[in-house]
Amino acid sequence: MTETTAFPPPDEPEDTNERTAEVLPFPLKKDATPAAAPAEGPVKPGEWEAELPDTDDPEAEGLADGEPVDPAREVYPPSVAEWMEAKDKARLPVLPDWVKLPDQRTAVRKWAVRHYSAVVGYHAVRLPCIYTPKILIYSPRGAWRWSAAIGRWVFDAEGKPLRHAAVAAEDAAEYLKLSRQRNDRVRLRGIVATIAAFIGLAAALTLYVMAPSWLLLVSIAALTTTLGVVGAPADRPLIDLAKVTFRKRRLSSDIVIRAHEVAGLTSKDQTIAFPRPIGRDGDGWRVVVDLPYGKTFEDAMKAHARLASGMDIAPTQLFLDKDETSGRRVSYWIADRDPLAVPSGKSPLLGATRVDFWKPFPWGVDERGNPVMATMLWLSLLVGAVPRQGKTFSARTIALAAALDPYVRLYVFDGKASPDWRTFAKVAHRIGFGIVPKSGFDPVQHLLTSLRELKADVEDRYHRLSELPLHVCPEGKLTPEISRDKKLNMPLTLFVVDEVQEYLTHPEHGREILSLMVYLARVAPAVGVSVMTATQKPDDKACPSELRDQHQARFALRVGAYQVSDTILGAGSYSEGLDASKLLKSHKGVGLLKGMSDDSGIVRTYLADGRDAERILTRAAALREAEGTLSGDAAGDAPAPEVSATILDDVAAVLGKGETKVWSETIVDRLADLRAEVYGRGRSWSPSPRQKRSPPRSSRSVSARSRSAAASTASRSTSAASSATTSPP
Ligand SMILES: Nc1ncnc2c1ncn2[C@@H]1O[C@H](COP(=O)(O)OP(=O)(O)OP(=O)(O)O)[C@@H](O)[C@H]1O
């Protein structure tokens, strides 16, 4: 291979023929010329040698011994713009943000008023009933301690051990010296104490005789309080703290290194490195660490508990984040206290008049208190946890947000028939509780009917969206305008099933419910129908993976083991640092969210208890009534009796053989004869929006072409028929 050098090497002097130094050839390669032939005659051992190539690598050609193998480091001086940008980043603001920004200033002012009024109130309540009795109890002891301390001072008690030591050592000179010094001191201090006592007594008498009573009282209170404070036991302070002080300490690099050493994440000759300084981040510390080469984020995850122990904090205070820039770089957030045990507070939905379900809505906060917005657009959500951890409450907050958007159609089914979902009857298009039939109403059958109804609706939506004119539906997808157009009847829909395992394990309908739910979770979100499933049994028997896997978003509250956490969140979540088994019992409403957005992480969901839910749903029902979107069960419209055949099937069935044209009236009569319960005279059946928009070509007769159309569009017309009976008023 020939090498062409376009530019002379920088160190080589240009255009010079001057000999600056002698260049000696350094034979790296073995001489290519054949070795001199061995001398003729017999070859004895040790007299022969063969030349072996050093390497097979053709790139090694021309490589000199001792040359550096690292690529040359190219160092560019920063441009002025880069330099200024770096300076901009490093500069600290003259005034902190909370001073400059009016809303933050207001927040700080409100906080200060709230905080200090709470502190003052706390002590004001305790002053008469706790502090005063304590002062009165402790003050005699305080008086005794005070006079004892004065006595010790006057009689030079601190020199006593030295005088004893001189006696023990039989050092007469030293003893006499110390005794003389003591006598002098005692005399002087005695005089001072006597004068002070006289002054004190005179002041007391003066106060008693001359001072107004309020001053006398204040003086007595001050003296008694001082004596009470002096007399209080060291382990039981006189005044309670109005706030809890949390164990907060400075985190140093030594502590972080120690933690990695005890966690087995360092080796004998390699420790961790800190690519950036340790700093504060919210209510905690942010530490970025480069693990030794070969160690990974997954290793750090496995050592989570040992790392926390090495830092002397609770495991719930340590959070690990993957750093995408290197496999060995880990970012730690070390909270000052367990942030997950701090309740996130009431749901902001309580103060909301309405919600736009097309936009993300507040669902909770993360471990650092940053708001977490949720969205159910184009996805299905699986919620799983052990009982009593907040599974229902967290799912319900999402359904409450949906309820506050009057254009969202709600289906709510609760397998456990708990009181949690009952109030949704005010707004839900279809609703059912439990699995046991009651008063002639079978909730499982109702779920089945609703699922079939929804499946037909979803199939129909796909067709109708692709048939809508471009100016209405430019991308063939549901838009806010289409979803709110009552004539088009394609509202955003949320299908909620709590304790889904109860339905899936139903002996008679379990299999069909499963297959319908799988269909909906997989196909329906794309046309605006989202499924939210909650379960306390995410195992394969109670909630098969066939259904679980269709959920794009997952939310896992506390579970028993990391395997269960992976079952809810999806395989591989544990190695990404998501393990819901690490959550504690006290972490109510706290879970790990995955798949709702690009980021996964902790959500401390807002609380909306039963009473809050009722308030929100009353408002939601009023909103729906005003907008005219109250429908289905909430409006008292029961689902139409199910017919196995479609209208076109029935039309096809009533057309006689060889009939090419039949009057509409005749068909209507024949249909009434065929199914009196559906087409009978007393019943009013209206065409679906789709049918309304595309009337039959002949208004007076139905052509025989309908027969073949009936067969080919069977599934479509099923949905048309069902949506005709379910369209909102
Ligand atoms: N976000 C929250 N903040 C504070 N406490 C909460 C929160 N969510 C739930 N809780 C508390 O947890 C309790 C249990 O909640 P929830 O009924 O939702 O649990 P669950 O997992 O659905 O239980 P089960 O499976 O028994 O129905 C509630 O009564 C409430 O006190």
Side-chain angles (χ1 to χ4, degrees):
M1 195 175 73
T2 46
E3 201 176 273
T4 24
T5 314
F7 302 100
D11 292 342
E12 207 170 286
E14 267 181 68
D15 296 336
T16 173
N17 295 324
E18 211 182 302
R19 257 171 90 101
T20 49
E22 188 77 8
V23 180
L24 296 174
F26 188 79
L28 171 75
K29 278 174 56 172
K30 298 271 185 270
D31 198 348
T33 51
E40 293 287 317
V43 181
K44 295 182 197 131
E47 278 190 355
W48 59 274
E49 57 182 33
E51 202 166 276
L52 298 170
D54 267 2
T55 171
D56 293 337
D57 183 2
E59 295 205 357
E61 284 200 24
L63 196 70
D65 270 349
E67 265 188 20
V69 290
D70 286 336
R73 204 178 276 247
E74 290 168 358
V75 180
Y76 298 101
S79 69
V80 177
E82 283 170 337
W83 176 80
M84 286 193 301
E85 200 184 323
K87 289 278 172 203
D88 279 348
K89 276 187 193 152
R91 199 172 48 242
L92 290 173
V94 178
L95 289 173
D97 276 352
W98 70 266
V99 178
K100 285 189 291 182
L101 305 173
D103 53 340
Q104 290 207 17
R105 250 197 332 262
T106 313
V108 170
R109 198 182 57 238
K110 279 188 184 159
W111 173 85
V113 170
R114 201 175 61 238
H115 177 77
Y116 290 107
S117 55
V119 170
V120 170
Y122 182 92
H123 292 305
V125 168
R126 281 157 184 76
L127 183 66
C129 47
I130 297 180
Y131 301 156
T132 307
K134 271 189 180 178
I135 285 170
L136 293 176
I137 292 167
Y138 295 144
S139 55
R141 188 158 47 171
W144 165 252
R145 279 186 183 170
W146 211 0
S147 41
I150 292 171
R152 276 202 304 278
W153 176 73
V154 170
F155 294 102
D156 193 24
E158 75 262 26
K160 205 171 173 182
L162 288 177
R163 292 193 295 276
H164 278 295
V167 172
E170 296 180 2
D171 187 345
E174 181 68 12
Y175 177 72
L176 284 174
K177 197 172 125 204
L178 289 170
S179 297
R180 262 197 303 278
Q181 195 187 41
R182 184 219 173 227
N183 292 344
D184 293 345
R185 267 192 186 170
V186 170
R187 198 173 309 120
L188 182 68
R189 288 180 181 182
I191 294 167
V192 171
T194 313
I195 294 172
F198 272 116
I199 293 173
L201 202 64
L205 278 173
T206 316
L207 266 177
Y208 184 66
V209 176
M210 296 173 69
S213 49
W214 66 265
L215 186 60
L216 190 63
L217 277 176
V218 168
S219 309
I220 292 171
L223 182 68
T224 322
T225 306
T226 314
L227 291 177
V229 172
V230 173
D235 60 337
R236 259 180 290 157
L238 197 64
I239 292 181
D240 297 342
L241 287 175
K243 59 189 170 60
V244 183
T245 34
F246 295 98
R247 193 171 166 217
K248 193 160 120 186
R249 67 182 71 169
R250 226 190 138 68
L251 194 77
S252 68
S253 59
D254 290 340
I255 295 176
V256 180
I257 293 172
R258 179 188 70 195
H260 283 78
E261 279 170 0
V262 294
L265 289 171
T266 54
S267 58
K268 218 170 357 140
D269 34 51
Q270 214 194 341
T271 183
I272 54 167
F274 295 88
R276 68 186 75 136
I278 297 174
R280 291 290 294 170
D281 179 1
D283 288 337
W285 297 93
R286 169 68 61 191
V287 186
V288 182
V289 156
D290 280 341
L291 298 171
Y293 294 104
K295 296 281 183 194
T296 60
F297 174 79
E298 284 71 29
D299 293 324
M301 265 308 296
K302 282 185 202 140
H304 180 269
R306 276 172 281 137
L307 278 170
S309 157
M311 292 178 196
D312 197 10
I313 53 169
T316 44
Q317 285 173 267
L318 177 63
F319 297 87
L320 280 71
D321 295 318
K322 216 172 192 164
D323 191 310
E324 298 303 334
T325 56
S326 165
R328 69 187 185 106
R329 186 164 289 183
V330 187
S331 176
Y332 299 103
W333 187 65
I334 296 134
D336 293 334
R337 57 177 165 148
D338 178 4
L340 308 185
V342 185
S344 52
K346 290 270 184 190
S347 168
L349 293 177
L350 275 165
T353 41
R354 68 192 287 161
V355 166
D356 180 355
F357 210 55
W358 278 89
K359 295 188 183 141
F361 52 89
W363 193 32
V365 290
D366 68 7
E367 68 274 17
R368 266 158 271 184
N370 302 315
V372 176
M373 308 296 278
T375 177
M376 285 300 292
L377 278 190
W378 324 128
L379 53 84
S380 298
L381 172 67
L382 173 70
V383 181
V386 293
R388 310 301 301 152
Q389 278 307 126
K391 171 172 38 65
T392 300
F393 275 43
S394 52
R396 196 173 62 180
T397 327
I398 290 181
L400 287 172
L404 277 176
D405 184 337
Y407 290 95
V408 175
R409 190 175 282 169
L410 271 164
Y411 286 71
V412 176
F413 287 87
D414 174 19
K416 245 178 41 181
S418 65
D420 297 333
W421 294 97
R422 298 272 168 175
T423 339
F424 276 81
K426 292 177 187 218
V427 291
H429 179 74
R430 299 278 172 246
I431 193 158
F433 308 107
I435 53 168
V436 183
K438 209 173 156 195
S439 321
F441 177 77
D442 183 354
V444 179
Q445 190 58 52
H446 192 48
L447 170 66
L448 209 53
T449 314
S450 306
L451 281 166
R452 288 181 194 144
E453 175 184 88
L454 209 46
K455 182 176 186 237
D457 183 22
V458 167
E459 286 168 345
D460 193 44
R461 282 182 187 215
Y462 271 107
H463 287 296
R464 288 196 285 140
L465 280 173
S466 54
E467 285 165 11
L468 283 173
L470 276 179
H471 69 274
V472 179
C473 184
E475 293 180 17
K477 297 212 170 64
L478 194 71
T479 61
E481 292 72 35
I482 297 174
S483 75
R484 287 174 192 145
D485 187 334
K486 286 185 213 158
K487 279 195 256 89
L488 296 177
N489 191 25
M490 280 191 269
L492 279 183
T493 301
L494 182 65
F495 190 87
V496 184
V497 192
D498 196 6
E499 306 298 358
V500 70
Q501 73 282 351
E502 300 297 324
Y503 296 112
L504 298 178
T505 52
H506 190 270
E508 195 186 335
H509 300 299
R511 282 225 61 79
E512 191 182 350
I513 292 173
L514 174 67
S515 77
L516 285 165
M517 285 201 64
V518 168
Y519 172 84
L520 288 179
R522 193 182 68 232
V523 175
V527 286
V529 178
S530 302
V531 176
M532 182 162 63
T533 318
T535 181
Q536 52 175 264
K537 282 189 191 283
D539 56 278
D540 277 343
K541 202 160 156 261
C543 181
S545 62
E546 173 185 4
L547 174 61
R548 284 195 321 259
D549 294 349
Q550 305 309 330
H551 295 83
Q552 299 83 353
R554 320 288 184 95
F555 186 57
L557 298 104
R558 189 175 78 90
V559 291
Y562 78 89
Q563 292 92 339
V564 187
S565 170
D566 255 18
T567 309
I568 300 169
L569 294 173
S573 301
Y574 176 79
S575 57
E576 289 170 31
L578 300 174
D579 178 7
S581 69
K582 294 240 166 75
L583 295 168
L584 306 180
K585 220 170 179 179
S586 56
H587 297 158
K588 300 267 188 214
V590 180
L592 300 170
L593 179 66
K594 192 180 170 187
M596 199 172 265
S597 66
D598 292 342
D599 299 323
S600 314
I602 288 173
V603 186
R604 291 149 53 196
T605 54
Y606 289 126
L607 178 68
D609 60 20
R611 210 171 307 158
D612 300 336
E614 177 147 17
R615 273 174 57 197
I616 292 171
L617 289 167
T618 307
R619 202 180 313 144
L623 206 57
R624 280 162 190 258
E625 221 165 309
E627 297 278 350
T629 52
L630 212 53
S631 65
D633 293 352
D637 298 336
E642 279 188 282
V643 286
S644 56
T646 67
I647 295 173
L648 287 182
D649 283 338
D650 290 343
V651 170
V654 297
L655 285 177
K657 238 183 183 177
E659 277 182 322
T660 50
K661 282 187 177 180
V662 182
W663 288 104
S664 303
E665 287 88 341
T666 314
I667 290 183
V668 170
D669 288 344
R670 288 185 194 172
L671 284 173
D673 290 343
L674 181 74
R675 288 178 201 281
E677 75 282 7
V678 180
Y679 308 114
R681 300 230 172 267
R683 294 197 65 83
S684 71
W685 48 286
S686 57
S688 73
R690 187 158 165 255
Q691 286 167 317
K692 281 183 198 162
R693 276 176 289 117
S694 47
R697 265 161 225 168
S698 160
S699 59
R700 298 282 300 162
S701 65
V702 176
S703 82
R705 266 188 299 173
S706 300
R707 286 191 206 198
S708 56
S712 66
T713 59
S715 63
R716 289 168 61 181
S717 48
T718 309
S719 51
S722 61
S723 54
T725 54
T726 58
S727 54

